[in-house]
């Protein structure tokens, strides 16, 4: 695979691994976490977004849309093919397609612009998403090229993928950052659309190999913001290796406008983020199990 579908390249990132990094956000995800901050990453194909505050009602989109009806663009209807003609015609910037194809050569050219920064800061490149493992053939080729230049490589993944896919990438990765959202498979399926046996099995096998891991738990009200849930996660990690770091990440609803731009409502819009006192209490529960836990 000589090309991939991505939706963003973020330079000078400091939260996606050690040092200063460039993060490549890849399209496509096989989970549907209802609190997801990147809903534009779910589908592999480009995603149409509309920002009404920028719209000047010029109807250039309707004139350009091949599927227009009564002069109105077909966006967010069954007729829309996400061809992008409306976004090309929208000079006000109210319409955009999130997602584009990029060749391996184009990506490497972009990533190597920051090579000196990676080396000075002991940073590197992180592939995130979406789910980068869904585009594993392309990812493998990119990792090989980065590794040949001595650049630190990492992925942020849900790890909901066959071990055979993951194991092919391991020799060319320096770090994996993965979520543990909850331990109960039925609850996991209710909140993400998938059971978690595959995820936990992959984490266990990585830990047995001593592969560098950072585990993260997004603290979501009503899902895992209770002591019992954190104890279950902490007990699992302690049984693998108490030195594997766990980061507790507080929920926030800042992605509400993203959902609106995709003509969707955000299920978490009315939830209240956990307080510092709540996060401190959950952190205490985790640390009592002897693991290396922290929170933002």
């Amino acid at each position: 695979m000589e090309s991939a579908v991505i939706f963003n390249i973020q330079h000078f990132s400091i939260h996606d691994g050690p040092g200063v990094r460039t993060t490549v956000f890849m399209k496509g995800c096989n989970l549907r976490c209802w609190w997801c901050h990147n809903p534009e990453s779910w589908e592999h194909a480009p995603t149409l977004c509309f920002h009404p505050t920028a719209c000047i009602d010029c109807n250039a989109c309707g004139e350009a849309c091949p599927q227009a009806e009564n002069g109105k663009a077909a966006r967010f209807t069954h007729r829309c093919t996400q061809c992008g003609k409306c976004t090309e015609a929208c000079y006000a910037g109210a319409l955009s397609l999130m997602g584009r194809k990029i060749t391996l050569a184009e990506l490497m050219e972009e990533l190597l612009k920051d090579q000196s920064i990676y080396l000075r800061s002991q940073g590197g490149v992180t592939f995130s998403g979406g789910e980068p493992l869904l585009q594993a053939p392309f990812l493998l080729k990119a990792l090989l090229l980065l590794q040949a230049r001595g650049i630190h490589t990492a992925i942020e993944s849900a790890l909901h993928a066959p071990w055979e896919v993951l194991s092919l990438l391991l020799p060319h990765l320096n770090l994996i950052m993965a979520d543990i959202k909850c331990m109960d498979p039925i609850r996991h399926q209710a909140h993400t659309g998938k059971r978690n046996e595959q995820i936990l099995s992959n984490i266990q096998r990585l830990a047995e190999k001593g592969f560098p891991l950072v585990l993260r738990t997004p603290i979501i009200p009503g899902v895992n913001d209770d002591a019992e849930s954190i104890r279950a996660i902490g007990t699992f990690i302690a049984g693998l290796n108490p030195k594997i770091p766990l980061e507790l990440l507080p929920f926030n609803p800042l992605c509400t406008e993203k959902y609106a731009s995709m003509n969707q409502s955000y299920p978490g819009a009315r939830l209240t983020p956990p307080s510092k006192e709540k996060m401190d209490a959950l952190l205490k529960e985790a640390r009592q199990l002897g693991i290396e836990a922290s929170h933002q």
Side-chain angles (χ1 to χ4, degrees), residues 4 7 25 87 91 108-109 116 138 151 158 175 189 194 203 212 217 227 230 236 262 268 272 283-284 289:
F7 65 96
F25 292 89
T87 67
Y91 52 84
M108 289 304 298
E109 181 181 2
S116 62
F138 178 92
I151 296 173
L175 176 67
Q189 183 171 32
K194 300 286 185 181
I203 291 173
T217 297
I230 299 306
F236 173 71
M262 296 166 57
T272 301
L283 179 61
K284 183 178 179 180
L289 296 162

Side-chain angles (χ1 to χ4, degrees), residues 30-35 158 160 179-200 223-224:
N30 48 9
L31 299 186
R32 289 295 181 270
C33 308
W34 56 258
W35 58 85
H160 193 278
D179 280 3
I180 299 182
K181 298 171 175 72
C182 65
M183 292 300 297
D184 182 77
I186 296 175
R187 289 185 68 194
H188 195 279
Q189 183 171 32
H191 293 296
T192 73
K194 300 286 185 181
R195 293 173 66 94
N196 63 356
E197 288 92 344
Q198 179 75 77
I199 296 169
L200 297 178
V223 176
N224 58 9

Side-chain angles (χ1 to χ4, degrees), residues 19 58 97 117 119 140 149 232-233 245 287:
C58 65
L97 271 183
I117 298 173
L119 298 178
L140 176 59
R149 291 180 174 267
I233 293 169
R287 285 180 172 172

